[in-house]
Amino acid sequence: MIKQEEVYKIGRLGKAHGVKGEVSFQFDDDIFDRVDADYLVLDIDGILVPFFMEEYRFRNDSVCLVKFCDIDTQQRAQELTGCDVYFPRALAEEGEEMPSLASLVGFGIVDASNGRTIGNIAAIDDTTVNILFELEDGTLIPASDELIEDIDTEQQTIKMNIPQGLLEI
């Protein structure tokens, strides 16, 4: 059984496309294309289920059409509409030197000056030029390369040099 901590969300499935079982996939992270992956993990009624990809093709920078194995009709594809799509952390880590932003959700932020855990990343705000880590308590921390000292993918922590006074805002 796949556990939630073993995967991270990379997007969501949209509507069925055509009659042969393709489905649109809106993604935040194209890791599935950069790493040799045969499958994606879908959240089906709260259960994480691997679905093997037969093929996919990009429509633009954030949408592709995916054909999953054994999904060969429009009706079967429609059953997947709205499913969240996840990617295995282990595959992402073995294929990349630097983890993608989306894979950092759930990591703990540790203050490098005192070793204290600040909180866990709940979301990544990349809507502006200045990318922010949004912690579970709503605190925003700049995801700047100058502030990040170390990323430990095994411990799922990010050691950061937190500017003095930032956490009091």
Side-chain angles (χ1 to χ4, degrees):
M1 185 166 165
I2 300 171
K3 296 178 183 156
Q4 188 70 41
E5 56 271 4
E6 296 172 345
V7 296
Y8 67 96
K9 185 176 175 183
I10 61 169
R12 187 176 189 92
L13 294 181
K15 296 185 211 175
H17 181 81
V19 295
K20 302 224 182 202
E22 279 187 317
V23 63
S24 66
F25 170 34
Q26 174 124 21
F27 57 89
D28 302 320
D29 187 346
D30 66 351
I31 186 77
F32 63 95
D33 188 49
R34 292 180 280 134
V35 173
D36 188 24
D38 297 328
Y39 67 96
L40 296 173
V41 178
L42 304 184
D43 184 339
I44 308 287
D45 297 326
I47 299 170
L48 298 173
V49 181
F51 276 77
F52 287 86
M53 295 182 287
E54 199 170 291
E55 63 182 3
Y56 60 88
R57 57 192 164 105
F58 290 94
R59 295 196 74 185
N60 58 42
D61 289 345
S62 63
V63 176
C64 73
L65 298 176
V66 179
K67 171 73 174 76
F68 292 109
C69 295
D70 300 325
I71 305 295
D72 49 7
T73 65
Q74 183 178 15
Q75 291 76 20
R76 298 274 320 266
Q78 285 174 338
E79 294 171 8
L80 302 177
T81 297
C83 288
D84 287 333
V85 180
Y86 295 85
F87 195 79
R89 288 186 189 276
L91 286 178
E93 290 167 7
E94 79 183 32
E96 301 224 327
E97 289 178 22
M98 188 68 178
S100 66
L101 283 174
S103 71
L104 298 178
V105 172
F107 277 42
I109 300 289
V110 176
D111 189 339
S113 66
N114 60 20
R116 189 183 71 150
T117 300
I118 309 296
N120 291 329
I121 299 172
I124 307 290
D125 181 352
D126 60 356
T127 57
T128 64
V129 175
N130 298 318
I131 298 171
L132 301 169
F133 293 137
E134 183 179 335
L135 302 186
E136 292 170 340
D137 66 359
T139 303
L140 298 174
I141 297 178
S144 168
D145 288 340
E146 293 84 38
L147 299 178
I148 297 174
E149 191 174 293
D150 182 49
I151 299 176
D152 185 340
T153 55
E154 288 205 13
Q155 296 294 320
Q156 293 191 354
T157 58
I158 302 172
K159 189 183 291 187
M160 295 186 72
N161 294 308
I162 308 291
Q164 190 172 9
L166 179 69
L167 300 175
E168 283 80 45
I169 297 177

